[in-house]
Amino acid sequence: MTETTVTIDRLGHRGDGIAPGPVFVPLTLPGEVVAGEITGDRIEVPKIVTPSPDRVRPPCTHFKTCGGCALMQASDDFVAGWKAGVIATALAAHDLTAPIRPTATSPARARRRATLSGRRTKKGALVGFHARRSDTIVPLTECHLLAPPLFALLPVLVEITQLGGSRSATLSFALTLSETGIDCAVTGGKPLDGPLRAALPRFRDRIARLTWGDEPVYAEAAPTLTMGKARVTPPPGAFLQATAEGEAALRAAVTEALAGATRLADLFAGCGTFALPLAGAVPVHAVEGDATLLAALGHATRHAQGLRPVTTEVRDLFRNPILAEDLSRFDGIVIDPPRAGAEAQTAQIAKAQVPRIAMVSCNPVTFARDAALLTAAGYRLNWVQPVDQFRWSPHVELAASLSLPHLTGE
């Protein structure tokens, strides 16, 4: 084996260190000198020759094998600054600059939503996260990501894997910690036959609602979350913000960006993360392509008190964006698209000249592209708020404020 010594220049978008070549080196930091055998374009098992001053001791014993975390070797200050830098770089690619606020980082053990994997073995079952760059499942004896009630559920998930899994397929457990218990949506399991359906209700005291594939098994309690003045029961496996702290940071940024607006549209509204809190003060029109999410939002609205009018519209905003003439009746918009961004919809917003916009994004690259459309139409990018609710991962989220100064008087 021939060892090569390299110096890490920067981190890539997946959190790997990158040395000249390029050579990709996991679990390293910029400025570090590392040695190891290069296979292809990677050093899979690096030896740290000269550590970075930002290197810290990872708190989890699984860090080197588990794929759940990629940046646990870095200080919180480094990760926060790096994520802000990712946003700045994405903006610079479009000749954009903006004040980037300090990153709002969620605490350890705060993840209320996570997906774990399970597989039967000869002697039992394994449940955990996948190993780094592998289909192997790392069974967890500790976890610094998951909220304690989710981590405590692992023995139950092992039992469920033994009941409904196989050695040739991987079960997926989409877990959500709600205010009334844990919601668990299982996919990849055996067919829900009579014996399995009869066996699963034994977990009623640990799982509030259990779904197997597309079939409900039981709902001992409706999993609910408070959003503003409403209580929402999301559909099984629904998208939600990963931590309560991250959701609060995004909501605060959106509320600030839309201050002064009196007629709001929430595009890609989900089940009401922003629409319902905003409706405590002003009317909101919520638009979402997933009818089940919008049904949950509508149900919550009908059973809440103290909300201004909330209207809903099922619409695929990628294929059928709302046109400028229909957007012109709003003076504020919050838009929270998937990773692909919302180029076509953003172009219509720019044309409509809606005075205030709150953009929420989980992809700085597509955010910058869409923000550039707005700035080209006269908008000012006032500030960007990085939000890190996927702690120790390279995932970057943000909220941003854009406005038309001549219409807002700013």
Side-chain angles (χ1 to χ4, degrees), residues 2-144:
T2 302
E3 281 196 349
T4 301
T5 300
V6 299
T7 300
I8 305 301
D9 287 338
R10 58 190 174 88
L11 294 188
H13 68 280
R14 293 182 179 178
D16 284 348
I18 301 178
V23 178
F24 298 88
V25 191
L27 313 183
T28 58
L29 297 174
E32 292 189 325
V33 177
V34 304
E37 182 181 9
I38 299 178
T39 302
D41 61 356
R42 297 183 64 82
I43 298 177
E44 287 290 358
V45 187
K47 297 176 183 177
I48 309 300
V49 178
T50 305
S52 164
D54 294 306
R55 177 170 286 276
V56 299
R57 183 179 181 85
C60 183
T61 57
H62 299 299
F63 174 58
K64 289 188 176 181
T65 54
C66 178
C69 295
L71 294 170
M72 197 176 265
Q73 80 281 16
S75 69
D76 285 353
D77 287 346
F78 172 85
V79 175
W82 178 72
K83 292 194 176 188
V86 170
I87 296 170
T89 300
L91 290 174
H94 295 272
D95 296 321
L96 296 177
T97 60
I100 298 179
R101 295 177 167 182
T103 302
T105 302
S106 295
R109 296 184 174 91
R111 286 279 296 274
R112 66 179 181 182
R113 180 175 65 82
T115 300
L116 298 177
S117 298
R119 182 176 295 157
R120 281 182 55 189
T121 64
K122 288 182 179 180
K123 297 182 179 180
L126 299 175
V127 174
F129 290 114
H130 284 290
R132 208 178 313 277
R133 293 170 55 85
S134 172
D135 289 334
T136 302
I137 295 173
V138 177
L140 302 177
T141 58
E142 63 177 307
C143 184
H144 295 254

Side-chain angles (χ1 to χ4, degrees), residues 229-240:
K229 297 179 180 179
R231 291 177 63 80
V232 179
T233 300
F239 171 82
L240 295 164

